[in-house]
Amino acid sequence: MKQPQLDSKYNWDNLESRWYKYWLEKKYFQADEDSSKEPYTIVIPPPNVTGKLTMGHVLNNTIQDILIRKARMEGKNACWIPGTDHASIATESKVEAMLSEKGISKSMLSREEFLEHAWDWKDKYGGIIIKQLKTLGCSCDWDRERFTMDQDYTNAIMHAFVDLYKEGLIYKGKRLVNWCPASKSAISDEEVIHKEKNGKLWYLRYPISGEDGYVVVATTRPETMLGDSAVAINPKDKRYKHLAGKKISLPIVNRKIPIIFDDFVNIDFGTGCVKVTPAHDPNDFDMGNRHNLEFINIMNDDASLNHNVPEKYQKLTREDARKTIVEDMSSKDLIDKIEDYANSVGYSERGGVPIEYYLSDQWYMKMDTLAQPALEAVSSGKIKFHPEHWVKTYNHWMKNIKDWCISRQLVWGHQIPVWYHKDDVEKIHVSIKGPADPENWKREKDVLDTWASSWLWSFAVHSWPDKDKNLKTFYPTNTLVTGPDIIFFWVARMIMAGTKFLNEIPFKDVYFTSILRDKDGKKFSKSLGNSPDPFTLFKEYGTDAVRFSTMLMSPQGLDVLFSNERLEIGRNFMNKLWNASRFVRMNIDDTVLNSLEINIDELEIEEKWILNQLNKTTDDFNKYLDDFKFNEAAKIIYEFTWNDYCDWFIEIAKTRFYGDDTEKSKKAQIVAVKTLRGILTLLHPYAPFITEEIWSYFRGEDDVDLIVAPWLNIKTYTPDLEAIKSFDTLKGIISSVRMIRSQMNIPPNKHSSIVIRKAEKLHSVINNSKAIIQSLAKVDKIIFSDDNNRPDKSATVITNNIEIFIPLEGLIDFEVESSRLKKRLGELEKHVSASKNKLSNDNFIKKAPEEVVAHEKQKLDDMIVEYNLVEQNLDFLT
RNA sequence: GCGCGUAUAACUCAGUUGGUCAGAGUGCCUCCCUUACAAGGAGGAAGUCGGAGGUUCGAAUCCUUCUACGCGCACCA
């Protein structure tokens, strides 16, 4: 059993793991495929199996946890399917690095041997990020955890490949691919990052064969001249008409290459003559096809020069080759000039080195027919993006989609299910099981792009292609939460996979998270080392605080400027919540917890007010969450808890708790607990640990754990407007008195009396709340004055048309009071004249809606009343 | 070149279909260890809503345009 009182300090350290373990034991995270409850499903964007948790993961997975916990509390069949992906390139390069430390190179090992090392590696590091997600509090159904290289999942991938191949949507082609010389593999267009680089433009002289002259070509990559097979000129370029039919004698290699004419060449760029290297440049590749040129591959798979170049250059790296070529051309006086030139260079996202365009056999997926239904799914609104503006980016990419190079020259991954006949390479076999006579066949060595496995994630986490109960219950999923940086890699392709293989969209809503940056606006990255370690933060601030603060600082659709300082907001808030709860627990009778029934009509005004505020907050909170505005929802529950509940309600409740009236005290206790339980409910998805802990001190005997407690939903409510208005007046009185006292620097232990004028209608309200005013505004006597006499030597303030005097014999600083009143007069003057202007405008009276005009009139009247009173008081003062 | 986003207090952000005297948190200033919380309480100062036009009775909000910053795509000999 719980101790009835909360510790004096919130200590999250062992409490978090204790609750997580408890929830697991109770199997609260488990979804049930047989349940008749409405399913709510999320598939996790699978992190890299050997990765570690980053703040990006914290952001992303907290959001998913919020959605899934809320759904669970709403009584839905909440299913969050976790897992990891195998991340071909990243993992393979890590394994290679590990092996090379042991003096083993990949080429020394057979495929099977390398895979063994890779699986060892995966077994060793594969569980880390999963454990970390548990520390974060993620309520995933861990029994459903998947890995993209599981047997079932692999089967799904093979199935998809064979299907698409049979339909003619997968084909093999020899063309230029983006080649990453670091991982020695092809990569897709999406994995190429273009960076602006300051380079040079070399103007090379190419001698015309059999003549004295030369043409000058400009290039950013002089080393590729070794693979040139033509020089091209625009046919409309009058300057070079005379070169028709002539040949170039290519320096250094001494190859005779033709001069060709092609519209592609830009007359105005450089000299108008361009060297053509069909095997190493996409545009030149096309020209090579058009003009039937020679395709000379001059590179090895690591981008060093191969045997197709003169011996001197063979085996040089591309960087050394460039230097040597420039030197050699220069010594032959074949460099016309060199200019500085900024151009963008494609880098391999994973390898971090410039890519090469490399001629090779690769497997491609035909995309245009796959794209059509996916495009339709979003434009029809069946799938909604949040924020919506990503639709444009999505559409643009989809409409210009190019075929996808899906083969990778790697080992760690899904080996392509294609076999080549040993006697006839043209003869190929494509199936999941392989040929019946394997001895006569050789399997394709390449593996599939990792995204060509994770694009099936939304349904391959089940036993697809079998359509079992799980698939039927949990597909389509509800919401995908992911970063906008993988909108093409993953989101778009998952939509294509869903519509293609199941003829149904994979999810209804896609929430794109913010990008985390440091407080200077730099993107968090490993290479910059500016990314904080989440676990240090969890320890320092508490996991709930990190979760809550991260949500609070992440506006929808905008980047987040993250700083530890901003985590203090969450930590302080958790501390506030803890202490408020502690205080309430200290002051309630245990019996209250089991009988929270209450007659609303009999409540005090502050009780009616706080319950109304809770209703409003609940309503707004739900609306914000429906809208995926996690920051707004966080903010509103924060404000309600701190400002309304702690600063006003609990302060007032003190007068009830410590007052003589036991009935009133009991009512206050019930409302205090009711409201607190509301706060805990709404806050639980954001801060699961602390709320469950506090809940355990406030639950009745029949109540369930908070994680499965019913969600708060306010359908309709009819507030007692009269009571709320009275309470606002009361707040106004208290705030006004506090302001005066503070400005006069009156210490809290020195109580003062107040005189209230022009408040005939409010006498009963004020009388009923006398104790509250006295306690919160540090007032001893409240005097009503209905005549025209004003107390001497008083400060004055006007609120809600009530005039309040605070006689402060000997304490008043008349200078301060006078300048304060003058300032207020100035403000009023400004607003009154603006308001008068508005109301004297006939068009405003005629065209504006009635209630706006009426409101404006009321406002002006109130301001004039206040103006006159302030003016009188000022006169009186001087 | 095409597209997207952002610009409101010193900082980080709210501000709904145009209509409360433009808000919050942090920071800053003043006072206070008052029966949960100094990770706290009370109060205060602080904004030409990026610039310029326009629509409107009325614009932070809608339109045009410019500027600055960020991002994506395409081209790049």
Side-chain angles (χ1 to χ4, degrees):
Chain A
M1 265 320 279
K2 271 290 165 238
Q3 293 298 313
Q5 300 306 333
L6 283 78
D7 286 349
S8 63
K9 209 158 167 70
Y10 173 48
N11 181 1
W12 53 81
D13 229 12
N14 48 33
L15 172 159
E16 292 174 355
S17 53
R18 174 159 58 74
W19 278 114
Y20 199 84
K21 216 176 130 214
Y22 174 81
W23 293 326
L24 281 176
E25 276 164 15
K26 291 275 187 167
K27 301 188 189 307
Y28 286 140
F29 302 165
Q30 284 185 7
D32 178 7
E33 62 273 16
D34 293 318
S35 166
S36 60
K37 291 193 284 186
E38 182 193 343
Y40 183 91
T41 312
I42 295 178
V43 288
I44 203 169
N48 175 345
V49 68
T50 61
K52 292 209 176 92
L53 200 77
T54 63
M55 280 312 296
H57 291 122
V58 170
L59 172 69
N60 186 301
N61 289 287
T62 300
I63 290 171
Q64 294 174 68
D65 200 36
I66 288 169
L67 293 171
I68 215 83
R69 281 178 186 270
K70 175 171 174 264
R72 190 178 295 119
M73 293 169 85
E74 285 173 325
K76 293 178 185 164
N77 188 12
C79 180
W80 185 6
I81 302 171
T84 48
D85 84 23
H86 61 281
S88 271
I89 296 183
T91 309
E92 184 148 334
S93 59
K94 276 184 199 167
V95 174
E96 272 189 82
M98 178 271 288
L99 288 173
S100 86
E101 269 180 32
K102 293 183 186 169
I104 306 168
S105 88
K106 190 166 129 191
S107 55
M108 290 158 67
L109 301 173
S110 71
R111 176 183 204 99
E112 287 69 29
E113 286 166 340
F114 182 84
L115 281 176
E116 225 170 279
H117 286 292
W119 278 104
D120 283 350
W121 177 270
K122 185 253 169 192
D123 290 340
K124 193 168 168 195
Y125 298 103
I128 294 178
I129 196 155
I130 294 296
K131 272 194 214 115
Q132 292 176 320
L133 287 170
K134 291 176 180 174
T135 311
L136 177 60
C138 295
S139 58
C140 305
D141 184 348
W142 296 109
D143 294 344
R144 296 174 191 272
E145 186 185 335
R146 294 289 180 272
F147 175 50
T148 47
M149 280 171 72
D150 285 346
Q151 191 50 57
D152 279 1
Y153 199 99
T154 302
N155 183 53
I157 292 166
M158 295 301 134
H159 188 91
F161 185 97
V162 172
D163 268 12
L164 292 174
Y165 178 81
K166 284 187 179 151
E167 268 189 69
L169 292 177
I170 285 181
Y171 62 91
K172 192 175 189 179
K174 189 178 187 106
R175 41 173 99 166
L176 284 191
V177 289
N178 306 304
W179 186 264
C180 169
S183 47
K184 296 177 191 165
S185 172
I187 56 176
S188 69
D189 294 342
E190 287 69 36
E191 289 162 292
V192 177
I193 312 279
H194 293 276
K195 290 185 193 171
E196 200 69 23
K197 289 280 160 183
N198 292 321
K200 299 246 188 282
L201 199 53
W202 283 272
Y203 287 76
L204 307 180
R205 293 170 177 164
Y206 278 14
I208 300 165
S209 186
E211 296 185 16
D212 279 348
Y214 52 77
V215 297
V216 177
V217 296
T219 180
T220 53
R221 301 199 58 193
E223 69 279 13
T224 61
M225 70 163 292
L226 300 172
D228 283 359
S229 53
V231 165
I233 292 165
N234 190 301
K236 292 190 199 84
D237 195 333
K238 289 183 184 126
R239 294 171 295 177
Y240 301 111
K241 287 265 188 247
H242 62 283
L243 294 176
K246 302 212 163 138
K247 293 208 166 196
I248 295 293
S249 178
L250 189 63
I252 296 176
V253 276
N254 296 321
R255 184 162 55 228
K256 295 248 185 313
I257 57 173
I259 291 171
I260 59 167
F261 291 88
D262 194 291
D263 287 334
F264 166 77
V265 182
N266 182 348
I267 296 175
D268 302 322
F269 190 91
T271 59
C273 299
V274 58
K275 62 192 271 309
V276 184
T277 324
H280 291 282
D281 180 277
N283 292 313
D284 294 3
F285 180 81
D286 292 341
M287 276 197 278
N289 280 329
R290 284 199 289 272
H291 298 273
N292 219 358
L293 300 175
E294 215 183 329
F295 290 77
I296 306 163
N297 179 1
I298 59 165
M299 284 185 186
N300 297 309
D301 60 6
D302 64 353
S304 64
L305 298 192
N306 67 14
H307 57 275
N308 288 331
V309 302
E311 202 171 348
K312 177 181 176 189
Y313 303 97
Q314 289 179 17
K315 293 184 180 161
L316 289 181
T317 65
R318 47 189 171 170
E319 293 80 12
D320 289 343
R322 177 176 301 179
K323 247 168 76 187
T324 315
I325 289 285
V326 169
E327 277 166 19
D328 292 354
M329 289 292 280
S330 181
S331 67
K332 291 178 203 291
D333 195 27
L334 290 176
I335 294 193
D336 205 65
K337 59 176 173 176
I338 303 172
E339 286 175 353
D340 287 334
Y341 185 67
N343 68 330
S344 90
V345 178
Y347 276 70
S348 158
E349 190 190 27
R350 285 286 173 192
V353 296
I355 57 140
E356 286 297 334
Y357 294 104
Y358 198 59
L359 195 59
S360 61
D361 281 315
Q362 302 289 344
W363 289 91
Y364 291 90
M365 195 183 293
K366 227 165 141 343
M367 299 307 280
D368 46 1
T369 55
L370 288 174
Q372 286 320 307
L375 207 45
E376 158 67 18
V378 173
S379 56
S380 69
K382 273 193 281 180
I383 296 177
K384 289 201 175 63
F385 285 179
H386 311 270
E388 205 186 347
H389 68 248
W390 289 108
V391 170
K392 277 212 172 184
T393 307
Y394 174 85
N395 285 344
H396 183 259
W397 186 77
M398 276 292 196
K399 283 176 184 160
N400 297 287
I401 199 162
K402 290 188 208 126
D403 287 357
W404 176 14
C405 175
I406 54 171
S407 46
R408 297 289 180 272
Q409 287 64 54
L410 300 165
V411 176
W412 179 243
H414 300 100
Q415 198 174 357
I416 290 174
V418 169
W419 283 260
Y420 304 96
H421 200 275
K422 283 180 179 166
D423 299 337
D424 179 3
V425 242
E426 296 294 303
K427 210 171 137 189
I428 70 171
H429 170 97
V430 179
S431 76
I432 297 175
K433 288 182 176 163
D437 52 340
E439 66 279 7
N440 295 321
W441 300 79
K442 212 177 154 199
R443 186 164 181 178
E444 168 66 62
K445 275 202 280 209
D446 291 354
V447 301
L448 286 170
D449 179 8
T450 306
W451 298 107
S453 63
S454 53
W455 77 317
L456 307 177
W457 184 250
S458 64
F459 51 86
V461 292
H462 306 296
S463 52
W464 186 84
D466 285 348
K467 295 197 173 168
D468 70 352
K469 224 181 237 173
N470 284 298
L471 185 68
K472 280 180 190 147
T473 309
F474 300 119
Y475 188 92
T477 71
N478 292 74
T479 309
L480 178 76
V481 179
T482 192
D485 48 335
I486 54 173
I487 184 169
F488 309 135
F489 282 109
W490 198 48
V491 181
R493 286 170 184 160
M494 248 203 296
I495 297 173
M496 289 191 265
T499 50
K500 173 69 189 168
F501 294 110
L502 289 164
N503 203 22
E504 202 167 7
I505 54 167
F507 30 71
K508 297 174 191 83
D509 291 289
V510 181
Y511 178 80
F512 290 105
T513 56
S514 315
I515 290 168
L516 289 168
R517 299 169 182 281
D518 65 19
K519 60 177 185 297
D520 303 320
K522 289 203 192 76
K523 208 166 155 179
F524 278 159
S525 74
K526 267 185 229 158
S527 49
L528 281 174
N530 59 347
S531 188
D533 169 30
F535 298 93
T536 315
L537 302 178
F538 293 167
K539 254 197 137 44
E540 192 176 344
Y541 297 93
T543 306
D544 287 319
V546 175
R547 286 172 59 124
F548 185 83
S549 307
T550 306
M551 288 301 102
L552 196 62
M553 69 176 108
S554 305
Q556 194 193 62
L558 294 178
D559 291 352
V560 181
L561 301 188
F562 186 94
S563 70
N564 287 11
E565 212 172 77
R566 300 183 74 185
L567 294 178
E568 288 175 12
I569 299 171
R571 184 197 56 186
N572 295 357
F573 181 51
M574 297 307 146
N575 178 59
K576 187 75 180 174
L577 177 68
W578 180 264
N579 276 292
S581 307
R582 176 167 176 260
F583 177 75
V584 171
R585 192 66 188 79
M586 272 155 107
N587 287 288
I588 55 167
D589 195 293
D590 287 0
T591 56
V592 164
L593 298 176
N594 287 315
S595 56
L596 288 172
E597 289 313 307
I598 199 163
N599 184 350
I600 302 282
D601 296 332
E602 288 171 6
L603 295 180
E604 304 297 323
I605 57 170
E606 78 273 11
E607 292 163 353
K608 287 179 176 172
W609 170 80
I610 194 72
L611 290 176
N612 180 57
Q613 289 296 96
L614 175 64
N615 282 345
K616 264 170 65 179
T617 303
T618 303
D619 225 27
D620 291 345
F621 190 82
N622 283 324
K623 273 184 200 136
Y624 282 134
L625 285 188
D626 287 346
D627 248 1
F628 299 95
K629 300 209 165 157
F630 301 99
N631 64 323
E632 292 297 315
K635 198 165 145 184
I636 197 170
I637 189 67
Y638 175 96
E639 283 171 356
F640 172 71
T641 306
W642 205 306
N643 304 339
D644 292 347
Y645 187 63
C646 295
D647 289 348
W648 284 104
F649 181 77
I650 291 186
E651 287 309 315
I652 292 171
K654 283 177 182 173
T655 68
R656 310 292 186 200
F657 292 162
Y658 303 132
D660 304 330
D661 190 328
T662 50
E663 273 308 300
K664 283 190 176 175
S665 173
K666 186 90 179 277
K667 274 195 295 183
Q669 290 178 34
I670 290 173
V671 174
V673 172
K674 258 178 134 53
T675 310
L676 178 59
R677 285 169 54 130
I679 290 168
L680 295 174
T681 306
L682 296 179
L683 195 59
H684 179 260
Y686 282 78
F689 302 111
I690 189 173
T691 51
E692 188 77 270
E693 173 72 8
I694 297 174
W695 181 264
S696 70
Y697 292 90
F698 286 94
R699 54 190 286 180
E701 280 163 14
D702 300 329
D703 288 321
V704 294
D705 291 316
L706 181 57
I707 186 176
V708 289
W711 187 247
L712 239 52
N713 241 321
I714 308 302
K715 294 275 184 287
T716 53
Y717 56 93
T718 42
D720 180 345
L721 292 174
E722 198 58 36
I724 289 163
K725 212 178 138 197
S726 299
F727 186 73
D728 283 337
T729 305
L730 190 65
K731 272 171 76 177
I733 293 171
I734 292 165
S735 295
S736 304
V737 177
R738 280 172 170 176
M739 180 191 69
I740 296 290
R741 289 177 50 96
S742 179
Q743 294 208 340
M744 299 300 158
N745 273 342
I746 301 161
N749 56 7
K750 176 133 185 94
H751 287 218
S752 49
S753 55
I754 58 173
V755 177
I756 296 177
R757 215 157 65 137
K758 316 242 185 224
E760 291 81 359
K761 288 182 205 153
L762 291 164
H763 283 189
S764 69
V765 171
I766 293 168
N767 271 327
N768 282 337
S769 305
K770 218 168 175 172
I772 296 171
I773 297 173
Q774 288 170 327
S775 160
L776 271 66
K778 311 294 177 200
V779 167
D780 43 26
K781 261 191 294 183
I782 301 171
I783 301 153
F784 294 108
S785 154
D786 295 327
D787 56 30
N788 286 325
N789 294 331
R790 71 187 69 228
D792 271 350
K793 295 181 179 163
S794 299
T796 62
V797 65
I798 292 127
T799 170
N800 300 57
N801 285 345
I802 308 165
E803 219 176 347
I804 302 172
F805 297 87
I806 307 177
L808 293 163
E809 175 83 50
L811 283 172
I812 278 235
D813 184 332
F814 286 95
E815 284 296 313
V816 174
E817 179 66 356
S818 154
S819 71
R820 196 177 62 75
L821 293 179
K822 275 181 190 154
K823 190 189 159 215
R824 182 63 187 148
L825 221 45
E827 277 168 13
L828 284 166
E829 204 157 11
K830 210 173 78 192
H831 296 310
V832 164
S833 96
S835 185
K836 273 184 176 164
N837 264 339
K838 221 176 194 182
L839 287 163
S840 62
N841 183 336
D842 283 348
N843 279 326
F844 174 68
I845 306 291
K846 268 187 279 178
K847 293 187 180 172
E850 252 177 73
E851 59 274 19
V852 172
V853 176
H855 184 261
E856 192 62 34
K857 277 183 179 159
Q858 181 64 50
K859 200 174 85 184
L860 179 60
D861 288 350
D862 289 351
M863 286 193 294
I864 289 172
V865 169
E866 187 181 347
Y867 185 94
N868 290 334
L869 290 171
V870 173
E871 203 177 28
Q872 283 169 30
N873 290 330
L874 190 59
D875 285 349
F876 188 74
L877 204 64
T878 49

